[in-house]
Amino acid sequence: MRDPFGRTVSYLRVSVTDRCDFRCVYCMSEDMTFLPKKDVLSLEELDRLCGAFVRLGVRKLRLTGGEPLVRRNIMWLIERLGEHLKTGDLDELTVTTNGSQLEKLADPLYAAGVRRINVSMDTLDPGKFTAITRWGKLDKVLAGLDAAEKAGLKIKINAVALKGVNDNEFHDMVAWAGECGYDLTFIEVMPMGDIGPQRSDQYLPLSMVRAQLQERWTLEDLDLNTGGPARYVRVRETGGRIGFITPMTHNFCESCNRVRLTCTGTLYMCLGQEDAADLRAPLRASESDEAVERAILEAIDRKPKGHDFIIDRRTRKPAVGRHMSVTGG
Ligand code: SAM
Ligand code: SF4
């Protein structure tokens, strides 16, 4: 699939649920209203829709959410999608998770063909972890990471940089990730969805994180382009890799290779834009996949050139109305 700007779309992120067992302060408000069941695609429908994307040329699938691993029977879907790895139609199947279910699901994930996972963890301090996630327990996630490592999964930690919250821990996190052999990616807070407290207060530009890290570590630029907004460095002292995801301060859109599907079958062509295509109606209208494939191609034809994220300090309104848990990041 090629978009109007000549970019090949080969990466689909699928949010399999908008629900979550955490309530991270930058992601959700405490009293979220979730989607009614009838609006959410069944696992069979998600499987069918992902199959259509794979036929059209998607080579990499990432399941996200909400928390993907709390959806009931999610392993059924993951095993089905893993079949595309066996036929060679798909190169990679990955998951972004908060880690709460990894203790029990790490082995089944590996067995289904998953080889790498992203685990979101913003702090190494148990009290702070519960303050950020509201409902999470750090112990449980650390036990999940252990299980994932034992299962053979390669781990990348995602940490959102939060002013006044975890900005005194970046050195410790780099040392810890280096010791464990995990990649570590820092993410800037993005203005998505109404969450209550003011996001402009949480925002910490990663240029400052990088400057702080350089006081202690030797960061060597890596020439690694994954088609996304991350820039990577190698930490000479630990040998570990660190990524910086800077949607607010950099323009990465020219190499964008991805689109995002929500659990209601809405396709967002850009994380930072409102334009979307409904794939649920064509999917449910017919048993054949012809109409839905046509709808996918029409949507790709509308993929915008880039986003226009901005944290507006005057109106204090999010740039994009939907929460990150809708599209999964
Ligand atoms: N529940 C899973 C998790 O936490 O990894 C998957 C979904 S979560 C929405 C995906 C990623 O988005 C997480 O790494 C989370 O930290 C990040 N995220 C959520 N809201 C964000 C925001 N407003 N700005 C930046 N990153 C955000
Ligand atoms: Fe849940 Fe992930 Fe959002 Fe945290 S970031 S509330 S774990 S979806």
Side-chain angles (χ1 to χ4, degrees), residues 137-183:
K137 294 267 181 296
L138 183 64
D139 278 4
K140 186 95 187 126
V141 175
L142 291 175
L145 286 173
D146 248 9
E149 232 181 298
K150 288 203 180 91
L153 295 167
K154 197 160 166 10
I155 295 165
K156 189 173 89 176
I157 303 292
N158 282 348
V160 177
L162 297 162
K163 190 161 71 185
V165 180
N166 61 1
D167 48 0
N168 59 348
E169 279 193 74
F170 299 146
H171 292 306
D172 293 346
M173 291 189 78
V174 167
W176 170 77
E179 250 166 54
C180 299
Y182 304 154
D183 286 341

Side-chain angles (χ1 to χ4, degrees), residues 24-27 119-123 132 157-163 165-167 170 173 184-190 199 202-204 206 209 245 324:
C24 302
V25 290
Y26 45 76
C27 180
V119 180
S120 304
M121 219 182 97
D122 309 322
T123 174
I132 294 171
I157 303 292
N158 282 348
V160 177
L162 297 162
K163 190 161 71 185
V165 180
N166 61 1
D167 48 0
F170 299 146
M173 291 189 78
L184 172 64
T185 296
F186 290 106
I187 309 177
E188 272 173 3
V189 178
M190 290 175 242
R199 205 171 253 130
Q202 303 172 339
Y203 178 63
L204 178 67
L206 292 194
V209 177
I245 302 193
M324 187 69 100

Side-chain angles (χ1 to χ4, degrees), residues 209-324:
V209 177
R210 193 176 168 140
Q212 198 192 105
L213 291 180
Q214 273 165 335
E215 290 168 10
R216 185 174 319 169
W217 311 96
T218 319
L219 306 183
E220 300 168 334
D221 278 318
L222 289 176
D223 194 17
L224 187 75
N225 189 349
T226 56
R231 295 287 168 266
Y232 293 93
V233 299
R234 169 92 52 210
V235 184
R236 193 187 294 160
E237 291 81 357
T238 68
R241 204 160 65 175
I242 301 187
F244 297 95
I245 302 193
T246 54
M248 307 293 295
T249 48
H250 279 270
N251 216 331
F252 50 87
C253 305
E254 66 278 0
S255 61
C256 183
N257 61 353
R258 60 201 60 191
V259 288
R260 294 172 166 84
L261 183 68
T262 72
C263 61
T264 58
T266 304
L267 186 71
Y268 285 96
M269 284 71 84
C270 173
L271 183 63
Q273 300 275 2
E274 301 282 5
D275 186 31
D278 172 35
L279 302 181
R280 186 179 59 195
L283 187 80
R284 288 187 174 168
S286 145
E287 273 178 23
S288 135
D289 289 339
E290 212 175 291
V292 80
E293 287 187 11
R294 207 173 328 115
I296 294 171
L297 292 173
E298 276 168 21
I300 300 296
D301 258 347
R302 299 208 307 269
K303 186 167 159 62
K305 193 162 181 211
H307 71 75
D308 33 43
F309 273 132
I310 180 163
I311 290 183
D312 192 327
R313 282 173 200 279
R314 275 166 306 130
T315 65
R316 295 198 163 227
K317 280 260 187 309
V320 173
R322 62 185 185 274
H323 288 91
M324 187 69 100

Side-chain angles (χ1 to χ4, degrees), residues 5-205:
F5 304 97
R7 297 170 297 190
T8 301
V9 176
S10 55
Y11 181 7
L12 176 69
R13 294 191 175 210
V14 187
S15 173
V16 298
T17 176
D18 63 330
R19 290 165 197 253
C20 188
D21 53 341
F22 291 2
R23 291 287 181 279
C24 302
V25 290
Y26 45 76
C27 180
M28 295 192 181
S29 62
E30 195 149 21
D31 54 338
M32 292 286 287
T33 312
F34 294 109
L35 292 160
K37 256 222 175 87
K38 67 171 180 16
D39 291 349
V40 175
L41 297 182
S42 66
L43 293 175
E44 289 79 4
E45 288 172 323
L46 280 168
D47 178 38
R48 215 182 120 200
L49 204 42
C50 290
F53 274 98
V54 170
R55 271 197 304 284
L56 290 172
V58 158
R59 305 287 314 173
K60 177 171 171 183
L61 274 176
R62 174 178 300 278
L63 302 190
T64 172
E67 174 47 41
L69 301 184
V70 298
R71 176 141 185 194
R72 192 177 313 154
N73 279 336
I74 189 63
M75 283 314 305
W76 177 86
L77 177 66
I78 298 178
E79 282 158 16
R80 293 278 305 179
L81 297 176
E83 294 297 317
H84 298 295
L85 296 166
K86 291 186 195 152
T87 59
D89 294 328
L90 191 66
D91 295 329
E92 195 173 35
L93 176 61
T94 56
V95 178
T96 299
T97 173
N98 64 23
S100 68
Q101 310 299 311
L102 273 179
E103 239 180 316
K104 66 172 191 280
L105 293 184
D107 283 325
L109 284 170
Y110 190 89
V114 175
R115 293 293 175 266
R116 296 195 305 159
I117 54 170
N118 287 3
V119 180
S120 304
M121 219 182 97
D122 309 322
T123 174
L124 291 166
D125 177 303
K128 229 187 258 182
F129 186 83
T130 299
I132 294 171
T133 60
R134 290 196 185 103
W135 297 0
K137 294 267 181 296
L138 183 64
D139 278 4
K140 186 95 187 126
V141 175
L142 291 175
L145 286 173
D146 248 9
E149 232 181 298
K150 288 203 180 91
L153 295 167
K154 197 160 166 10
I155 295 165
K156 189 173 89 176
I157 303 292
N158 282 348
V160 177
L162 297 162
K163 190 161 71 185
V165 180
N166 61 1
D167 48 0
N168 59 348
E169 279 193 74
F170 299 146
H171 292 306
D172 293 346
M173 291 189 78
V174 167
W176 170 77
E179 250 166 54
C180 299
Y182 304 154
D183 286 341
L184 172 64
T185 296
F186 290 106
I187 309 177
E188 272 173 3
V189 178
M190 290 175 242
M192 298 186 68
D194 220 338
I195 49 158
Q198 298 313 333
R199 205 171 253 130
S200 50
D201 299 339
Q202 303 172 339
Y203 178 63
L204 178 67

